[in-house]
Each structure stands twice: as C-alpha cells, then as structure tokens.
Amino acid sequence: MKRVCKNNVIYNTSAHNQPAIMVEEHEEFRLELEDCYGGRLKSSQDVFTKEMWNTVNPATGPVFIAGACPGAVLCVEIMAINIVDHAVMHIARGPGILGEYVEGAETSILKIRNEQLEFGGGLILPVRPMIGVIGTARAEDPVSTSFPGEHGGNLDCKEITAGSRVYLPVNVSGALLSLGDIHALMGDGEVCGCGAEMSGEVVLRTHLEHSFMPTPAVETMDKIHFLGSAKTLDECEAIVLRKAHAYLVQRLKMSANDAVRFMSLAGDLGVCQVVDPLKTMRFSLPHRICESS
Ligand code: CA
Ligand code: CA
C-alpha cells in the first residue's frame, strides 16, 4: 500500500503544489499525519510561540487522484484512523470567550490508554478520533490549511471519523487531496481553540461520485451532513440549508416545498467550530430516510 510520511506537508493548498503520490480510484493508501502544532509541543514545558503561528496545521500530501478532473466530486472514504498514545492541548489568554478565563498559557499532554483519554484528576474520556483538516486544492489563489471553505480544509467537523465518507470538490486536475489535524476527541464548537491534538495515520480510499452531491459533505452510517463555512454563523446557516435543500430537490427529486417541510422535521442544524478564521456549521439529514424516500 502506498504511504506518505509526515514530513511531506503543505501549509497552503494550491494548484501548484507538487503531488506527494499518485493513486488510482478505489486504491487504498496511507497518510501519516502530524499534529496541528507540527509535533513541536512534546512536554508541558514546551511553549507555543507567536512565530509558530505561520506553521500550524500541516497537512500531509497532496495526493493526486488519477482521473479526477475539475468539476467532478471526490468521495474520500476514511477506512481507519490509527492513533498514538498521547494528545496535546495548548490554551492561552486570547480574544475568544473562553480565552478570558485562561490563567496563563498552558500546554497539557494527555495520555491515551485503551482508547481512553486521561484528562487528569481521575477524569477519563473515551476517544473519538476525527480529522480536522481535509481538503482539495482550490483553482484560485493558494489558501492556508488553517482555513475552512468550499474546498474543505480546516472544517473541524467531528463527524469526519473512521467509517465516514467525505465529499469534496475537484477544482484542479488530480484534486490534490491533503489531510492533517487529527483530534483524539473534540466537542462541537472546539470552544477553547483546540481539540485533543494528536499525530497518527489514516487509511483512505477514494472514488469519483457521479450523482449530484453538494460539497463539502460528510456521510456517516445514519446521516448526511452538509457543511458550510463563513465569517458568521448566520451566513453558515444560509449556506448549509441551501446545500441540503438542493440535495433533496436535485438528487431525491422532492418538490421544493416538501424539501422545506422535510428539513424542518428531520434535519438538525449544528455547529462544527467557532474558532477558525471562518466558522463552520453543518445541517444533518437522516440518511436512510432520504435514500428510501
Ligand atoms: Ca482544526
Ligand atoms: Ca486542531
């Protein structure tokens, strides 16, 4: 199986990045991912400096998918997320709401044993590994891997986990897929600015989706989640509702009014993250009801 190690990273997604590997549709491959701090916070003594901001969220890749042409939709299946034995959290005083409560910057190393995160003080939290950064290259200007957007990127959606399928746009030849920023655990909102940040390895497989599918979207066992990122949550809401409505009307052939009623009864509006340069929301529809309707 082809494998890309974690020193093949990018900090900007760009049509001009050199591919790290080329894979065929349906071919399984592995990517080793560094944590969002670039592995530089190894102990509680390590401090996150201002200079490090330019090189956060390294994303491994890019991966060139043979046959992926602009205009297509790429489906990325997350076959596995292999985690390591610890995670890192760095908090600091900042402009965010929770930042007001931080009593001095602090780096914490959290042990992971038997799929449980040892929080300290006897608190144990079950891990739920997820991928924070997953995206394709944009056709336009390069964009930092810290940004979420229509190309994917720093979406920080906790539904992007082992077993999920992530739908992304193909904007440039080969799609140029890259991933990073794994979390052992994160709550909706990522309200202190980080999750349980972790390095690890993912096993992926891709194919091109031929039916209508708004992007970015995530399909899990029981739901399909439409994602949108913007400066405000109000703008995010408009984006994700528009995508879900288009899916029901164009793919499932519901009438416009039925789709509106169905979304109000069966759909859930949720927040992915409120701490990145743009915020991200999701609108989630029950997958099986959609497919059988
Ligand atoms: Ca992130
Ligand atoms: Ca992160």
Side-chain angles (χ1 to χ4, degrees):
M1 194 187 299
K2 286 176 190 164
R3 181 167 174 270
V4 183
C5 66
K6 63 184 177 185
N7 50 18
N8 286 282
V9 294
I10 56 170
Y11 299 97
N12 290 284
T13 60
S14 162
H16 305 296
N17 286 332
Q18 276 301 108
I21 50 165
M22 184 172 96
V23 297
E24 302 290 331
E25 255 189 280
H26 309 293
E27 177 183 352
E28 283 186 32
F29 58 98
R30 289 172 187 271
L31 302 182
E32 200 179 67
L33 309 189
E34 188 53 276
D35 70 37
C36 75
Y37 306 116
R40 291 168 296 189
L41 304 184
K42 294 185 191 317
S43 82
S44 56
Q45 312 304 313
D46 291 337
V47 182
F48 188 83
T49 60
K50 271 188 196 155
E51 294 69 48
M52 290 182 181
W53 272 117
N54 295 329
T55 49
V56 290
N57 290 315
T60 302
V63 177
F64 187 102
I65 289 99
C69 297
V73 170
L74 182 71
C75 173
V76 184
E77 290 180 65
I78 318 286
M79 313 290 292
I81 303 178
N82 301 324
I83 64 173
V84 293
D85 62 358
H86 69 281
V88 189
M89 293 185 81
H90 177 80
I91 58 169
R93 279 193 77 80
I97 292 166
L98 271 189
E100 294 172 18
Y101 302 108
V102 173
E103 297 170 325
E106 191 172 30
T107 300
S108 314
I109 309 291
L110 308 177
K111 275 195 183 148
I112 300 171
R113 246 192 295 238
N114 302 323
E115 303 195 341
Q116 296 194 310
L117 190 67
E118 299 181 0
F119 183 81
L123 285 176
I124 298 283
L125 298 165
V127 298
R128 192 171 186 267
M130 55 155 285
I131 295 162
V133 172
I134 178 168
T136 51
R138 300 198 312 177
E140 318 89 81
D141 297 341
V143 63
S144 160
T145 48
S146 291
F147 267 77
E150 290 296 285
H151 65 292
N154 198 6
L155 297 165
D156 286 317
C157 171
K158 69 182 190 185
E159 304 298 341
I160 302 178
T161 185
S164 330
R165 294 168 169 219
V166 182
Y167 295 90
L168 297 167
V170 179
N171 303 309
V172 302
S173 180
L176 301 182
L177 174 71
S178 60
L179 283 83
D181 189 32
I182 316 182
H183 302 150
L185 185 64
M186 189 197 96
D188 280 337
E190 200 183 14
V191 290
C192 90
C194 65
E197 306 292 337
M198 195 176 60
S199 60
E201 192 181 61
V202 291
V203 182
L204 309 172
R205 188 168 65 187
T206 65
H207 68 263
L208 297 170
E209 173 71 18
H210 297 292
S211 304
F212 174 77
M213 178 63 82
T215 54
V218 184
E219 190 179 352
T220 52
M221 180 88 86
D222 55 349
K223 291 193 175 175
I224 182 147
H225 313 269
F226 300 97
L227 306 187
S229 303
K231 279 229 156 52
T232 68
L233 290 177
D234 283 352
E235 292 169 274
C236 292
E237 178 191 340
I239 295 168
V240 297
L241 292 180
R242 189 173 65 234
K243 287 177 182 174
H245 191 265
Y247 175 84
L248 292 172
V249 170
Q250 292 188 48
R251 179 150 170 167
L252 302 188
K253 310 298 178 201
M254 270 191 192
S255 74
N257 284 3
D258 277 350
V260 167
R261 281 186 284 265
F262 183 77
M263 286 166 66
S264 192
L265 298 180
D268 290 316
L269 188 60
V271 171
C272 295
Q273 59 77 24
V274 293
V275 293
D276 293 335
L278 301 174
K279 298 178 181 186
T280 305
M281 288 184 82
R282 62 177 180 267
F283 190 75
S284 311
L285 291 171
H287 181 50
R288 285 188 181 148
I289 295 173
C290 289
E291 288 300 314
S292 64
S293 60

